Amino acid sequence: MPEKPDAPRDAPRPDVVLEARDLSKHFRVRRTLRSIAERDRPVVHAVDDVSLRLRRGTVTAVVGESGSGKSTIARLLAQLYPATSGELRLSGKPVRAARGKSFRAYCRQVQLIFQDPFGSLNPTHTVRYHLTRALRIHGRAGRTAAELEQALTELLGRVHLTPPDRYVDKFPHELSGGQRQRVAIARAMAADPKVLLADEPVSMLDVSIRLGILNLLRDLKERLNLAILYITHDIASARYFADETLVMYAGRMVEGGDSETVTQRPAHPYTQLLIGSAPDPDRITGAGEEPGAGDATEGGEAGGEPPSLISPPPGCRFHPRCPMAMARCRTDVPPRFDLADGQWAACWLYDGTTEERPAPQEAPA
Amino acid sequence: MSSPAVLDISGLCVDYGLGDSAVHAVRDVSLTLHRGEVLGLAGESGSGKSTLAYGVTRLLSPPGVITGGSVRYHPRAGGSSDILDLEPDQLRAFRWQEISLVFQGAMNSLNPVHTVRTQLTDVLQAHRPGMSRAERTARAEELLSLVGISSDRLASYPHQLSGGMRQRVMIAMALALDPEIVILDEPTTALDVVMQRQILRQLTRLRRELDFSVVFITHDISLLIEFSDRIAIMYGGRIVEEANAKDIYETALHPYSDGLLHSFPALHGPRRELTGIPGSPPDLKAMPAGCAFHPRCPKAFEPCERRVPELLPLTRAGGDTPPPGGADRTVACWLHADH
């Protein structure tokens, strides 16, 4: 498996629908007097050198903290932001469609679902309006009223809002959060896309209905052979829902692989920290007495905060917080190192010279 | 529970609005917080958990009204008083001194145009008029170091601090007067998991050092199980189950508690197909008759839609083997009532 990830690049597998190659996005920030004097053009490095592939019938999760650039990835893939550098390929062909006809053609294949179903639906319009508009724009409304009605019924049925007539004339405020998110999904499905980009689709919903939405998305994926990008901060839900998981830190991908492998045997120190921090009822401590024992050491090491993205640290961006940082981490950006089972990590710990794999951290007891 | 009660809520009802149009946000809630314990309050949005916290501290703003019940506070010195009977000036002295609150979205509760020093010393100025300026600053520095922030941050404005630091400043502020009870309303919802764990660890340590009791409100039940001693689960304005954290996790008795526990995918162990809970949380304006959970309940049977089950201690657990912690837990479900 020592094969570089660059090798198979030129022969993408046919099931890859959307592919990002070394995508970067920098946002300009307002210049201060000092930066003008120093002839400096400060930018926020929101996303740097991100490569990922979305395959048919596969859910790919991007996990990261807020500010890690995960939502920027969704917007880059939806072409809502132009990329600073890098390339986007849809079904193998490079695309750059910022507006007009080509953008609409792109949207027909790649649809985005937002986090907040309260904000993404227009409160002054009914479900019928939202869905009809999407169907018309993408030319799937049919020619007659009956055909339109049929298309609406089918869409609502797909997202399990049945019977359709109970929902079709409702306004968003008459629906619960979960129902609203289902309408947003139905609207995305109206384009009959190949790729669905879901940016934290369940974070704003009540906990008891989150799984219902995830299960619906999984069902759609299986029935329609969709490629889904699932953006989340909750790594446990990535394990549950996604086939493949990518972990982002401060604008860079740090680890990727099969969801089960990444969550059970995290390789990158950041992923280990993330998993060690996630709430875990199995780590019952009786009154939270126990975790106090380790907090002086563990909390100290794992401490710190994500770096500034305006002047990110050189080398590996995690090195200021990393308990295993080496001299090299401070200067050189680690490339992807392939591990077993298709897992990879961008961490110098896995540099080929050190054959043996450092024992991944077990869940701290 | 051997330790004495510090807060006794009994039969508390809170409505929004008056008359027929009133929405009953909290219905007949009875809860006891013991000294030194962390009581977790779990529930979805609209379950009344935040309203309960505001009711207890009498911070409800109109149209919220407390329509019944009592909240007895038992200070360390002995004696007890009903918070609901306090006069305005007593109440003002009572809040912060005895009970303090860290609000939901606490990250944004700092005033952006004042420094941390001004905001921390303001509390002391109001409640401890005898303190000199130097003493106040010294206390503010002490408070910051308590939550692990260096004292030179006193001169910072909130926007100069990260989210986690702002949250810690809020916690420091809540601890300014050594309260007996700290109510945390979704204290870490806006934070990342790594920061969340750091803050909760710190709280656990502070609680041990300063010996206060905590009411911890959140929708994340997996977090509660890890960090609290007892958990009360709310649904539709009522408490449906109360038990030790471990017992809830191992054997949730109410179908809603069970459903909630199975709504969080696990990070370890076998990967299971999970379903969440079908349906949507109830509309408080049109609550179902009987048990509020019955339209979503997989185990609903005949009495559920007619009569509201009472929250009863689990003394005689039917015929089968009594669940663990039986004597120490209560549940409001017809499945577990003798009828």
Side-chain angles (χ1 to χ4, degrees):
Chain A
M1 289 253 192
E3 157 186 78
K4 280 271 171 224
D6 301 54
R9 272 196 173 182
D10 296 309
R13 301 231 306 270
D15 59 347
V16 174
V17 194
L18 190 62
E19 184 183 4
R21 292 185 177 182
D22 300 326
L23 218 53
S24 297
K25 178 67 190 172
H26 297 166
F27 292 102
R28 280 264 193 69
V29 284
R30 202 166 59 185
R31 303 176 72 184
T32 57
L33 272 180
R34 178 188 286 174
S35 72
I36 291 170
E38 291 173 0
R39 302 188 172 247
D40 188 19
R41 283 207 161 269
V43 292
V44 174
H45 298 250
V47 168
D48 266 323
D49 301 327
V50 161
S51 301
L52 61 86
R53 286 173 178 174
L54 303 181
R55 299 190 176 84
R56 300 219 118 202
T58 313
V59 178
T60 307
V62 173
V63 181
E65 295 174 77
S66 47
S68 62
K70 56 192 196 304
S71 288
T72 305
I73 289 192
R75 282 162 173 70
L76 283 173
L77 293 186
Q79 302 247 36
L80 293 182
Y81 295 151
T84 306
S85 65
E87 192 181 42
L88 206 56
R89 285 171 167 256
L90 183 65
S91 311
K93 289 191 256 327
V95 280
R96 183 162 277 235
R99 58 166 68 89
K101 222 175 181 175
S102 58
F103 179 63
R104 224 170 304 147
Y106 184 80
C107 286
R108 200 158 298 157
Q109 306 201 45
V110 182
Q111 282 278 317
L112 182 62
I113 306 168
F114 293 95
Q115 175 174 1
D116 182 4
F118 299 79
S120 63
L121 299 178
N122 188 332
T124 62
H125 288 300
T126 58
V127 172
R128 177 189 299 277
Y129 174 88
H130 283 106
L131 299 183
T132 308
R133 192 174 140 81
L135 285 167
R136 287 240 165 85
I137 287 174
H138 298 294
R140 299 183 61 244
R143 249 164 301 179
T144 62
E147 276 176 34
L148 172 65
E149 206 59 32
Q150 158 117 43
L152 284 175
T153 306
E154 195 189 308
L155 271 183
L156 287 172
R158 264 192 197 167
V159 295
H160 304 178
L161 285 177
T162 45
D165 9 323
R166 196 196 291 171
Y167 299 99
V168 76
D169 289 313
K170 287 254 170 36
F171 285 93
H173 74 266
E174 296 173 289
L175 302 174
S176 71
Q179 290 166 347
R180 260 178 274 201
Q181 194 61 292
R182 283 170 196 267
V183 172
I185 294 171
R187 179 173 58 180
M189 299 314 298
D192 196 19
K194 287 185 185 153
V195 181
L196 205 55
L197 309 170
D199 186 3
E200 305 245 19
V202 296
S203 307
M204 300 275 285
L205 304 178
D206 276 315
V207 286
S208 68
I209 54 180
R210 287 183 184 174
L211 285 169
I213 298 286
L214 289 185
N215 289 341
L216 167 70
L217 286 173
R218 174 183 289 167
D219 178 52
L220 288 174
K221 170 202 90 170
E222 274 157 16
R223 275 195 297 153
L224 306 173
N225 207 16
L226 279 176
I228 296 184
L229 179 73
Y230 173 57
I231 294 191
T232 183
H233 62 270
D234 178 7
I235 196 164
S237 75
R239 180 193 180 214
Y240 174 73
F241 176 52
D243 304 289
E244 203 184 317
T245 296
L246 300 162
V247 182
M248 265 196 104
Y249 180 74
R252 284 185 187 278
M253 294 279 178
V254 296
E255 179 166 358
D258 171 62
S259 297
E260 197 62 20
T261 317
V262 170
T263 51
Q264 301 310 301
R265 289 185 288 127
H268 196 283
Y270 173 66
T271 319
Q272 292 171 1
L273 172 65
L274 201 61
I275 286 175
S277 303
D280 183 1
D282 285 322
R283 197 162 24 186
I284 277 199
T285 56
E289 302 286 352
E290 209 59 49
D295 72 359
T297 51
E298 217 179 312
E301 275 182 279
E305 281 160 16
S308 150
L309 294 178
I310 297 180
S311 47
C316 171
R317 288 188 181 170
F318 188 59
H319 86 253
R321 298 171 76 185
C322 183
M324 293 176 234
M326 304 173 282
R328 194 176 191 184
C329 303
R330 297 187 181 92
T331 50
D332 302 338
V333 178
R336 292 183 176 195
F337 292 107
D338 283 309
L339 310 168
D341 306 327
Q343 190 184 11
W344 59 266
C347 178
W348 286 118
L349 288 175
Y350 303 98
D351 190 6
T353 52
T354 50
E355 261 308 301
E356 116 197 33
R357 174 195 164 103
Q361 181 181 320
E362 291 298 317
Chain B
M1 279 288 141
S2 47
S3 55
V6 58
L7 193 71
D8 244 326
I9 304 169
S10 75
L12 189 71
C13 297
V14 180
D15 285 2
Y16 286 105
L18 295 167
D20 293 340
S21 62
V23 168
H24 308 289
V26 171
R27 303 168 184 226
D28 192 20
V29 164
S30 300
L31 256 186
T32 303
L33 175 66
H34 298 273
R35 198 172 290 285
E37 132 184 295
V38 178
L39 176 68
L41 209 52
E44 297 177 81
S45 48
S47 62
K49 54 196 195 312
S50 295
T51 304
L52 178 64
Y54 290 118
V56 165
T57 45
R58 293 199 33 203
L59 283 168
L60 283 168
S61 47
V65 271
I66 297 170
T67 52
S70 68
V71 182
R72 294 208 80 79
Y73 171 66
H74 307 278
R76 222 170 267 264
S80 77
S81 53
D82 190 338
I83 299 175
L84 304 185
D85 291 338
L86 295 178
E87 299 297 323
D89 53 333
Q90 291 174 315
L91 192 61
R92 191 174 318 176
F94 174 83
R95 288 181 189 146
W96 223 314
Q97 170 79 51
E98 310 293 339
I99 294 192
S100 66
L101 199 64
V102 176
F103 291 100
Q104 201 165 1
M107 280 167 70
N108 302 319
S109 5
L110 289 169
N111 188 333
V113 301
H114 289 293
T115 59
V116 170
R117 179 202 309 271
T118 315
Q119 301 188 52
L120 273 175
T121 52
D122 187 40
V123 185
L124 301 167
Q125 205 162 7
H127 285 262
R128 301 268 190 278
M131 275 176 117
S132 72
R133 176 187 281 264
E135 281 168 346
R136 285 199 300 264
T137 305
R139 176 69 179 148
E141 282 177 6
E142 190 189 334
L143 285 169
L144 278 194
S145 67
L146 216 53
V147 292
I149 300 179
S150 75
S151 52
D152 53 3
R153 287 293 191 168
L154 271 182
S156 305
Y157 286 91
H159 76 267
Q160 294 170 312
L161 306 177
S162 71
M165 281 168 110
R166 266 180 273 173
Q167 186 64 278
R168 281 186 277 184
V169 169
M170 290 309 298
I171 291 171
M173 208 181 277
L175 299 176
L177 304 175
D178 281 325
E180 282 287 317
I181 302 168
V182 178
I183 299 179
L184 302 163
D185 187 3
E186 305 255 7
T188 55
T189 307
L191 300 175
D192 296 313
V193 282
V194 179
M195 186 53 63
Q196 166 172 298
R197 180 155 298 267
Q198 278 177 35
I199 287 187
L200 290 179
R201 282 219 181 103
Q202 212 149 35
L203 265 172
T204 312
R205 180 175 57 80
L206 288 171
R207 190 180 62 92
R208 230 182 1 238
E209 284 168 14
L210 307 175
D211 192 25
F212 51 85
S213 318
V214 176
V215 179
F216 188 166
I217 301 173
T218 179
H219 64 268
D220 189 342
I221 195 167
S222 43
L223 197 65
L224 273 189
I225 287 170
E226 214 182 313
F227 280 95
S228 46
D229 302 289
R230 290 179 70 72
I231 294 182
I233 294 182
M234 288 190 79
Y235 188 79
R238 290 178 199 274
I239 290 180
V240 295
E241 181 165 4
E242 194 203 334
N244 289 329
K246 193 161 171 286
D247 296 332
I248 289 235
Y249 179 54
E250 281 164 7
T251 47
L253 294 178
H254 198 283
Y256 176 65
S257 321
D258 192 56
L260 208 54
L261 278 169
H262 289 101
S263 294
F264 286 92
L267 201 44
H268 302 286
R271 234 163 112 163
R272 292 169 297 181
E273 183 64 20
L274 300 172
T275 49
I277 306 176
S280 314
D283 180 0
L284 290 175
K285 276 176 272 180
M287 287 293 270
C291 171
F293 188 58
H294 87 258
R296 301 174 75 187
C297 183
K299 294 180 185 157
F301 63 118
E302 184 265 327
C304 300
E305 55 190 89
R306 286 188 293 111
R307 285 182 299 156
V308 178
E310 267 182 85
L311 187 67
L312 292 172
L314 203 77
T315 40
R316 304 145 288 162
D320 35 7
T321 48
D328 218 18
R329 56 195 301 183
T330 53
V331 60
C333 180
W334 290 117
L335 286 173
H336 303 285
D338 292 328
H339 282 282

